[in-house]
Amino acid sequence: EGEREREEEEEEREKREKREWGIEADRQRGTMRAGVVIVAGLIGALFSFLFSQLPEDFGSVTSRVYLAILSFSGLVATIQLIPGTAERCIKARLFGRDINKNGDSKIPESMGLVAGTVYLVCVILAEPTLRYLSMEFNAAMTSICFMILLGFADDVLDLRWRHKIFLSFLATVPLLVAYEGPTDIVVPLPLQSVLGMEFIPLGNLYHVYMALIAVFCTNSINIYAGVNGLEVGQSIV
């Protein structure tokens, strides 16, 4: 009986190891596929960025190369900083459980803080190259800083939804104040012949529309957090 128990324990251990190896293999394959997509997207974006027709104020090809290198450096910095930050978050008990996978692994939270901080650093370093957008840059940075702070506060304090919605509206104020573009919306092609117009002027209501869109995008992505793939997929779209 003791020999049979040892054999059963050995078989159970082997099955457990195979499951763990299978999970790790699936994770590695997923990482490789994501890496291929990212590299292909970066190459396409780089060629489009370097050779597309951009405003004259944008700068020379040298400026474009600088911005491309800066963007790629931001990607590398984010990838390098996430593992160390993840360990610190787990030690600080900022983690959750992945209920969509086998095992009981701890999933660190507040990882958006890494990507958001690196993004802000890249924007600050890019601003001298795009001086004609200084006001829009400052407004965008203010809103992004506010939303990063809101996201971190939500992870730590578990804010109520009514507070998050209100603070999201507050974060859009700098963008609305700095916006100087058109305030028209394009009528869908099937309706243009019916309405007899291509654009509908909204005036000040366009700023309300912008605020609603901004709040919807940020909070809908936040709702998707934890559902594997959907959060990143919606951000890409």
Side-chain angles (χ1 to χ4, degrees):
E1 292 180 359
E3 184 68 25
R4 189 180 306 111
E5 290 179 358
R6 284 194 296 271
E7 291 179 355
E8 291 177 354
E9 291 178 357
E10 185 67 21
E11 291 178 358
E12 184 65 25
R13 186 179 63 82
E14 291 179 357
K15 291 180 181 179
R16 185 168 57 252
E17 290 179 352
K18 288 181 180 179
R19 286 197 299 268
E20 293 176 354
W21 291 340
I23 294 173
E24 184 63 26
D26 291 340
R27 187 177 303 169
Q28 291 180 359
R29 284 193 292 268
T31 302
M32 290 178 62
R33 288 194 293 266
V36 171
V37 173
I38 290 174
V39 171
L42 286 173
I43 293 175
L46 178 62
F47 278 94
S48 175
F49 179 69
L50 293 178
F51 301 107
S52 60
Q53 296 294 327
L54 296 175
E56 295 180 358
D57 295 336
F58 193 85
S60 61
V61 176
T62 304
S63 299
R64 302 186 188 186
V65 172
Y66 166 73
L67 293 175
I69 294 174
L70 183 62
S71 300
F72 185 75
S73 300
L75 171 64
V76 174
T78 303
I79 294 175
Q80 293 296 321
L81 289 173
I82 282 179
T85 307
E87 293 180 1
R88 292 179 178 273
C89 287
I90 292 177
K91 290 180 180 179
R93 304 189 65 81
L94 291 173
F95 63 85
R97 306 287 182 178
D98 192 345
I99 62 176
N100 298 311
K101 291 187 175 69
N102 294 328
D104 193 30
S105 58
K106 298 177 180 178
I107 307 300
E109 297 179 349
S110 300
M111 288 296 96
L113 188 64
V114 178
T117 303
V118 173
Y119 178 80
L120 287 177
V121 171
C122 291
V123 169
I124 291 172
L125 295 177
E127 189 169 2
T129 310
L130 305 172
R131 295 180 180 177
Y132 74 103
L133 291 175
S134 59
M135 185 172 68
E136 289 85 350
F137 258 79
N138 294 332
M141 288 177 60
T142 303
S143 295
I144 293 172
C145 284
F146 195 99
M147 291 306 298
I148 292 174
L149 177 61
L150 175 60
F152 183 70
D154 183 32
D155 291 333
V156 176
L157 304 176
D158 193 18
L159 299 176
R160 295 180 178 272
W161 271 107
R162 61 174 177 266
H163 298 149
K164 288 188 284 188
I165 295 294
F166 170 74
L167 294 174
S168 298
F169 273 108
L170 191 62
T172 63
V173 172
L175 290 177
L176 301 179
V177 172
Y179 182 74
E180 296 180 350
T183 57
D184 303 332
I185 60 173
V186 180
V187 177
L189 288 176
L191 298 179
Q192 289 183 4
S193 59
V194 178
L195 299 177
M197 61 178 67
E198 297 181 3
F199 303 94
I200 298 178
L202 295 182
N204 291 329
L205 289 178
Y206 190 83
H207 291 82
V208 178
Y209 163 76
M210 289 176 58
L212 294 175
I213 287 293
V215 173
F216 167 77
C217 290
T218 53
N219 286 281
S220 60
I221 291 175
N222 191 28
I223 292 172
Y224 276 151
V227 184
N228 297 340
L230 290 181
E231 185 177 13
V232 175
Q234 186 186 14
S235 300
I236 293 174
V237 170

